[in-house]
Amino acid sequence: MNILIIGYGKMGKTIEAIALGRSHHISYKIDQHTDDTFENIHPDQVDVAIEFTQPDAAPGNIRFCLENDIPVISGTTGWLSQKPTLEALCQQKNGAFFYASNFSIGVNLFFQLNRYLAGMMKSYPEYKPDLKETHHIHKKDAPSGTAITLAEDILAAIPALENWELEEEKNHKKDEKSVLSIQSVREGEIPGTHIVNYTSAVDDITITHTAHSRQGFALGAVLVAEWIQGKKGVLNMDDFLKL
């Protein structure tokens, strides 16, 4: 499989190492510090693109791939207001576009656990949920895409909650009971920790996912790249994991 890597930072380099270890070939590496550019890419030499960049760059990167019939996998977070436009372009071009806020198999099982727990907790309003996510200091967006996925799944399951807000931006004039608070912490080189907590007057219920390295995210992206061959449409981790 011939892979175009868009974004050659720590994640891109980890993806490259895993892909090479699985006998794949890296056709191009697009980054401000590499020699390859979009202008010198030959789409017929690319089977799939894996995109991990920055929120301001992701939409244009994905658009390039879709317009050049390159299946594209993106894990960049913080730009999702533009996602519907790119999904429409994918359908128009009969292309393949796979987005996930997190490619870790463990995290996606954690998403399922979060949905199940939230479905149980909607009958117990005495428990107030909140989220905390911790990442390395280089992460640009807050809250993380993973935290947003967790929050939106909780909101979908618990009708009493109307919206989520970052703790430091919370509007304290609102009814606190209707707001799901998210605390974002940036420190050190932490790959990612997500905590979902339900607090009552008598006890707490907590579920946690802690990543030990980028390996899980990168391996998941390469496994999706292998899986997406021959597929069309707008796809996600539920499709891949058959959840």
Side-chain angles (χ1 to χ4, degrees), residues 17-153:
I18 290 174
L20 293 175
R22 295 176 68 85
S23 300
H24 300 305
H25 174 254
I26 308 302
S27 298
Y28 303 94
K29 293 176 283 193
I30 300 292
D31 189 84
Q32 58 183 339
H33 303 300
T34 63
D35 294 331
D36 291 330
T37 65
F38 286 118
E39 288 75 18
N40 67 11
I41 287 177
H42 297 280
D44 58 348
Q45 296 176 1
V46 178
D47 296 313
V48 64
I50 302 178
E51 197 269 352
F52 280 82
T53 59
Q54 302 296 332
D56 59 341
N61 297 337
I62 295 165
R63 178 176 293 277
F64 170 85
C65 294
L66 293 173
E67 290 179 343
N68 287 276
D69 196 28
I70 299 172
V72 57
I73 296 164
S74 176
T76 306
T77 58
W79 60 275
L80 294 189
S81 62
Q82 300 182 59
K83 187 166 176 273
T85 300
L86 292 169
E87 290 176 339
L89 178 63
C90 175
Q91 302 290 8
Q92 176 189 339
K93 297 290 187 178
N94 192 31
F97 171 35
F98 189 110
Y99 172 79
S101 61
N102 196 306
F103 282 83
S104 161
I105 305 301
V107 164
N108 283 275
L109 296 175
F110 187 65
F111 286 156
Q112 288 292 102
L113 178 61
N114 176 60
R115 292 171 195 146
Y116 183 75
L117 178 58
M120 294 175 62
M121 299 306 292
K122 68 180 179 182
S123 301
Y124 301 92
E126 62 268 30
Y127 286 90
K128 180 72 169 71
D130 62 83
L131 294 175
K132 179 179 179 180
E133 57 96 353
T134 304
H135 281 85
H136 52 82
I137 59 174
H138 313 290
K139 187 167 179 59
K140 303 294 184 184
D141 55 318
S144 67
T146 300
I148 292 173
T149 299
L150 292 165
E152 290 181 344
D153 286 344

Side-chain angles (χ1 to χ4, degrees), residues 1 5 63 68 97-99 160 184 194 206 219:
M1 185 171 62
I5 293 178
R63 178 176 293 277
N68 287 276
F97 171 35
F98 189 110
Y99 172 79
S184 290
H194 293 84
T206 303
L219 175 60

